[in-house]
Amino acid sequence: MGFMRNPNTRSSDYLDGMLGDYTNTAGGGKSSKSRPQKSTSAKLVTLLTCLQFAFAVYATFLLYYMSPSIDLRTPKPDFAWASKIAQQWKHYIIPPHIISRYQESASNLVLEPELPMIAAPTEVCEHEKIEFEQKKSNDALMIKIKRELYDEVLNFQSKNMGTESLTELMAMKSKWDLHGAGNIPKVTVILNHFKRKTLCSQLDSLLHQTLPFHHVWVLSFGSPNELGLKRIVESYNDTRISFISSSYDFKYYGRFQMALQTEADLVYILDDDMIPGTKMLEILSHVAGTEKYKNSVLGSIGRILPFRQKDFTFPSYRKFRSKEAGLYLPDPAYDITVDKIIQVDFLSSSWFLSAELIKTLFIETPFTFMTGEDLHLSYQLQKYRNAGSFVLPVDPKDKETWGDSEHRLAYVSETTVIFKDIVQVRDDQWWRAMSTGYITQWAAMNPQKIDALFYAHSIDEVKALAPLLEKFRSTVGKKAYIAVSGGGFCPCEEAASTLHWPKTVCLERRFKIFDLGVGALSGISNSEVPVVQAVYASMKGLIKVHNPSVVITIDDIDPNVRKALKMATESNLNSSTLVHLPRPSISKVLWMADLRSTTLPNWNRMTISVNIITQNRVHSLTRLLRSLKDAYYLGDEVPISFNMDSRVDNSTLKLVKSFEWPHGPKTLRRRIIQGGLIRAVSESWYPSSDDDFGLLLEDDIEVSPYYYLWIKYALLAYHYDPQISLPELASISLYTPRLVEVVKERPKWNATDYFKQIHPNTPYLHQLPCSWGAVFFPKQWREFYVYMNMRFTEDPKKNPVQIPKSRTNGWQASWKKFLIDMMYLRGYVSLYPNFPNQMSFSTNHMEPGAHISAKDNVVRHNKTDFEVPLLKDDFRNYLPNGKMPSASKLPSLNLFNQAVSLKGLKSAGSKLRQDVLNCTVTEVVMVDHETGLPSHCATF
């Protein structure tokens, strides 16, 4: 044990104390005030002067004999005499009792143990002994498989985002000035150690980096080598290197938790088997500062997850002799060296990223804390930061550019990832990531295309969506999956049971049901933010991977989840459409599965407005409004307008004012001057866009609950299908006529009997427009406006259009007469329903009004000839093969209910040569559909 003086007591203070004590005790211990101050000071000065003189003489002799002129081989003179004189003088200056007193005081000081000398790194460092060569495969098939897959991935990335060599990367502009005195990054390096003897090698490499580090944190969590690791850190005696330990093993996430505390710009986290080359910090920092890779995590080793097999399942990432098992990069066993930067699904063994990105790892609770931090980091970064994971290229001739300069260390102490149970856990982990929207390299290289992706946030929602999901999945050529919220909201196993699927589907690595595990993010939080974030982030990824034509959910879903789904769907550049279906309507739209994938995205594109023409039949109007409210609207916004002439009665005004319409805005219009039916109808609606369709209803009409479904289905099948070209279609009728209306005799007619050779209930095209419930198309309605303006006359005899054998030639003040003329001249048609007993989506009650029972109307009307039964059940069951026939199979009729082709209809109209332009018999008038104005004649 050595004597340790209190370091806080300075030498000068010590001497002052001795001298001060002497002045107080030299006179018998009395205070200095009892003696004259001048006498004491004079004596002390004299003694000190004599002592100084003695030492000066002693020093003179000493210097003389030690000078170079003295022969050092001769015996040195004895200076003991001078020492004796000095010793005697000392007793005169400082009496012995003073010295003994201070010696006693010194003995009372705390004796501290002598600190052991800090060992040098060479004394404490240990190194792994590597007595084997790098493993190399001699399996020709595996070498071929791995190399081909690597080339496929690299070629894909080169074409889609560009890949750079190390030289090209270093030539890119970076925000970090690594060689000047400007913007130099601060890099904290975190070394995690357990058993391997590599710490000294890592520290030696880091101390010789071309870009100095800011700090190095050596972590020892639950390591049996903690003391040895600590001695190594101390041996380097570098204030920038810190040792942090804990008896508790924080496993693989502890180092990332520590990284949250750094104040550096960048963080470099290394496993204990990674010895980086001396240029790595410079290379990594430069690349991290480029615009292209600033939002990325960089490393030296990575893995590309499995590809889908021919049986549509995904194998284990450790499956042997399988191309679909993915890639480990670089892979010395197969001579695969990364010579261009490559994006991977996750990095292993080292991670270099901005400190800001570290916190992303902890947004969601990890699948397990026992393993998989590497995948979880890359998955979370992509999901919440849109950040990629990249393996940097190396210079094969310069190992200082390698992040893993001694790959054999990985085999010295085998990692847990080779154990069967750990492999299973990691397989489950990456599949869960992929099921919640992780876009792997396979997904990027093989974009999927499905028809529908369903989302259910609760088991009740699964039950509601089940019929439509099953219809999609049972329809040949259709693909549909379902995503459930998971956790406490909608457990996957319960959802599977509700769908009558085995619970094992939740564990199979096959696309069918996706468990989003929303509870992993929201936990017990009462806030809606975690739920919105989890649903949005997961669904955004799933939508991007699978590109569904429609995303289907229920209409009364939680509003916050609804917002998340809307944002996720709108983020897809490939036009997915979010569809909210009311629960009662879901079983009524099973025909949705029969639409083409290219048609489904147009689901929300059209607007169908209801336009009612009314005046003074309040009881009729009440019946119509009741039937409208009872119909299925599929969650669409459906505007409604009431168009009233100037003579509208008070009862009607009160009714329309108090009427509540839950499906969209309500508009009231009233004319100042009585216009009559021709103006009331034709001016009741005008399209605002090419996707604005107008349903015109007089107040004595009544509609079926399925009328809107019929309109929507027909529009999607024949107007919004990109593969269908039917420009002749100008309207869709809700009504099926029982008479041939334009013939003088008005014979009865039954479409079911007429088309029984084709199919008794096939829909058909008819040249006659319907005035008892029909939807009119925007382009043709603009055209009709212009046509009627050019041809309108109160005297029917002055009308230049006279259709042979048509009783419409004599109709007066009829908007329908002008529409019939235009459709006949230009070959337009309407789509009509055709069901047993002429059941229809609308019926006419033939109640007194502007035409029926009018004084100048000489035609007698039998109510049974016009009033038809309304469809009260699902019309899909009556259609050919349960769905709308293709457009090419729709039969077409002329104005007189005779079968004529669409080309024949145009030919008949052109032969009259009575249109607004003077066209030949082989031409029809073409119009500008933006304005409806006729532009030129064109051959049909």
Side-chain angles (χ1 to χ4, degrees), residues 609-617 621 624-625 639-648 652-653 656 666-672 674 676-677 679-686 694-699 785:
S609 62
V610 178
N611 303 277
I612 299 172
I613 298 93
T614 187
Q615 181 166 272
N616 53 16
R617 295 187 293 196
L621 179 60
L624 170 61
L625 296 180
I640 190 170
S641 71
F642 293 88
N643 300 273
M644 300 165 286
D645 223 330
S646 63
R647 297 172 187 168
V648 60
T652 300
L653 285 172
V656 299
K666 180 181 76 172
T667 304
L668 306 183
R669 300 190 188 95
R670 182 180 180 182
R671 295 183 66 86
I672 297 175
Q674 190 76 5
L677 191 60
R679 292 180 177 84
V681 174
S682 60
E683 296 177 8
S684 64
W685 169 74
Y686 192 83
L695 171 63
L696 306 187
L697 297 172
E698 295 187 40
D699 53 15
Y785 252 61

Side-chain angles (χ1 to χ4, degrees), residues 28-206:
K30 295 180 181 180
S31 174
S32 60
K33 291 182 180 180
S34 63
R35 291 178 177 273
Q37 195 75 14
K38 183 177 180 181
S39 176
T40 302
S41 301
K43 184 178 179 179
L44 177 62
V45 170
T46 302
L47 290 173
L48 288 175
T49 302
C50 292
L51 183 61
Q52 288 176 338
F53 176 75
F55 275 110
V57 172
Y58 176 78
T60 300
F61 280 102
L62 182 65
L63 291 172
Y64 172 76
Y65 282 101
M66 292 183 66
S67 65
S69 62
I70 301 299
D71 188 357
L72 296 178
R73 290 173 296 178
T74 61
K76 294 182 180 179
D78 185 7
F79 291 103
W81 59 271
S83 299
K84 290 179 180 180
I85 294 174
Q87 189 71 22
Q88 290 175 358
W89 287 356
K90 180 185 76 170
H91 288 291
Y92 286 107
I93 300 172
I94 305 176
H97 70 277
I98 299 297
I99 296 176
S100 64
R101 178 178 173 182
Y102 276 91
Q103 287 176 340
E104 290 176 5
S105 299
S107 66
N108 293 328
L109 294 175
V110 177
L111 298 179
E112 296 183 3
E114 293 183 0
L115 291 176
M117 295 294 292
I118 297 177
T122 55
E123 299 175 15
V124 296
C125 281
E126 296 180 297
H127 298 277
E128 294 286 358
K129 293 182 180 180
I130 304 177
E131 299 175 343
F132 54 87
E133 296 296 324
Q134 172 64 53
K135 294 180 180 180
K136 295 286 185 179
S137 173
N138 57 4
D139 187 331
L141 176 60
M142 282 297 293
I143 294 173
K144 180 176 181 293
I145 286 174
K146 295 291 185 181
R147 190 72 219 185
E148 286 179 351
L149 183 56
Y150 173 66
D151 290 340
E152 287 178 21
V153 174
L154 193 59
N155 290 336
F156 170 79
Q157 294 186 12
S158 297
K159 292 178 182 177
N160 286 270
M161 64 185 201
T163 57
E164 298 86 14
S165 65
L166 181 58
T167 302
E168 291 169 335
L169 285 172
M170 297 307 290
M172 293 171 68
K173 184 179 180 181
S174 176
K175 76 172 185 176
W176 301 118
D177 183 6
L178 305 181
H179 300 290
N183 196 20
I184 299 176
K186 293 180 180 179
V187 181
T188 292
V189 183
I190 299 178
L191 308 176
N192 194 61
H193 275 265
F194 193 72
K195 284 186 177 181
R196 284 194 178 96
K197 303 172 183 179
T198 55
L199 178 55
C200 290
S201 298
Q202 288 184 323
L203 291 176
D204 289 341
S205 173
L206 292 171

Side-chain angles (χ1 to χ4, degrees), residues 434-506:
M434 199 169 182
S435 298
T436 53
Y438 190 34
I439 305 170
T440 65
Q441 294 310 299
W442 170 83
M445 294 171 65
N446 299 274
Q448 303 297 291
K449 181 60 186 174
I450 65 174
D451 296 275
L453 177 60
F454 290 76
Y455 177 80
H457 202 66
S458 67
I459 294 298
D460 285 342
E461 293 174 19
V462 175
K463 292 178 182 177
L465 293 169
L468 186 55
L469 173 62
E470 182 57 31
K471 179 61 171 67
F472 266 99
R473 292 187 61 83
S474 62
T475 301
V476 177
K478 289 290 189 278
K479 287 183 181 179
Y481 309 135
I482 184 170
V484 296
S485 57
F489 298 103
C490 185
C492 183
E493 291 77 8
E494 290 186 35
S497 297
T498 301
L499 295 168
H500 306 292
W501 295 349
K503 293 182 179 180
T504 54
V505 299
C506 295

